[in-house]
Amino acid sequence: MSQTQALKVRVALFCILVGIVLAMVAVVTDFWAVLSPHMEHNNATCEAAHFGLWRICTTRVPVDDIEDKNCGAITLPGGNKNCSYFRHFNPGESSEIFEFTTQKEYSISAAAIAIFSLGFIIVGTICALLSFRKKRDYLLRPASMFYAFAGLCIFVSVEVMRQSVKRMIDSEDTVWIEYYYSWSFACACAAFVLLFLGGLALLLFSLPRMPQNPWESCMDAEPEH
């Protein structure tokens, strides 16, 4: 592998590393979406919620304590915050509101696909490390494919979560009518872009040099180390 090609591979791996960090942050945090109810004059409390792949957190604050009358801010001062895992992940926890307002299959699917993504990341990282340790550059090609598959899985998980939020808001059983996607959702989207494009770039950069002249064959290219 030439120095120019090695430099391109390092840049692609750096982008992939950033994507891995963002994917891990998105999976373990609970700020994929923030939900808030409609503010009415007769409401005594404001109940906002945010959730991720594994649990939902609610915050209840008296309306009189809210200065700007914005119920969507989850970090409201003086609120009573309560976080619980979804019932299908932990039967001992209670999350009836979420279970009634959206199908649990959405949450299970998004979490399962995210786990598949982390599995692809682990296998791809093992291949990448082995390629550097033993100077086997050909292992970068399966590593790149694993990273690209991980990015696609994250994209599917993001889309499933988006459909889950939409179904929850459209449900007649929920009190939440306003929502926005928060920083965990943004981390997942950025992870998809970096892992998918970084994986494709790594695949292209790790391929052997193609013949540059009509009379040159692939067998004449420089051997890989």
Side-chain angles (χ1 to χ4, degrees):
M1 183 181 295
S2 64
Q3 293 183 353
T4 303
Q5 191 177 12
L7 178 61
K8 293 179 180 180
V9 168
R10 293 190 184 97
V11 173
L13 287 175
F14 176 77
C15 295
I16 291 174
L17 178 60
V18 176
I20 292 175
V21 174
L22 293 175
M24 293 294 295
V25 171
V27 170
V28 301
T29 53
D30 306 318
F31 287 87
W32 284 63
V34 177
L35 311 171
S36 61
H38 181 66
M39 291 292 294
E40 297 179 356
H41 297 291
N42 57 355
N43 282 346
T45 60
C46 173
E47 180 181 8
H50 67 87
F51 66 93
L53 296 175
W54 313 103
R55 64 177 187 171
I56 185 171
C57 298
T58 58
T59 301
R60 293 181 178 88
V61 178
V63 176
D64 296 336
D65 296 341
I66 306 176
E67 297 180 357
D68 56 356
K69 301 301 179 182
N70 183 13
C71 196
I74 197 61
T75 57
L76 294 174
N80 183 15
K81 188 174 182 179
N82 181 26
C83 295
S84 61
Y85 288 93
F86 297 138
R87 188 190 309 170
H88 41 271
F89 293 130
N90 189 357
E93 297 285 348
S94 59
S95 56
E96 291 83 358
I97 297 177
F98 188 87
E99 296 291 343
F100 290 157
T101 55
T102 188
Q103 292 182 346
K104 67 179 182 181
E105 285 79 9
Y106 280 98
S107 178
I108 295 176
S109 299
I113 296 171
I115 293 298
F116 278 115
S117 175
L118 295 182
F120 284 130
I121 288 175
I122 292 174
V123 177
T125 301
I126 293 175
C127 292
L129 292 177
L130 291 177
S131 69
F132 289 136
R133 187 174 182 179
K134 299 183 178 181
K135 300 298 183 181
R136 297 179 178 178
D137 297 338
Y138 62 87
L139 289 177
L140 291 174
R141 297 162 203 165
S144 64
M145 298 304 298
F146 285 125
Y147 288 135
F149 291 152
L152 289 177
C153 287
I154 292 179
F155 172 76
V156 175
S157 182
V158 166
E159 179 62 23
V160 171
M161 181 62 70
R162 193 181 68 85
Q163 294 295 329
S164 174
V165 174
K166 185 177 183 299
R167 186 178 181 87
M168 186 190 312
I169 296 299
D170 294 340
S171 175
E172 297 179 355
D173 298 328
T174 182
V175 298
W176 296 306
I177 63 172
E178 298 178 358
Y179 72 95
Y180 65 89
Y181 299 106
S182 191
W183 56 270
S184 296
F185 188 87
C187 288
C189 294
F192 154 67
V193 174
L194 291 174
L195 286 174
F196 183 73
L197 296 183
L200 293 182
L202 181 62
L203 177 62
L204 294 177
F205 297 152
S206 61
L207 289 175
R209 183 175 64 86
M210 299 299 293
Q212 298 179 353
N213 300 311
W215 56 85
E216 183 182 4
S217 65
C218 293
M219 299 299 296
D220 298 328
E222 297 180 0
E224 298 185 37
H225 300 288

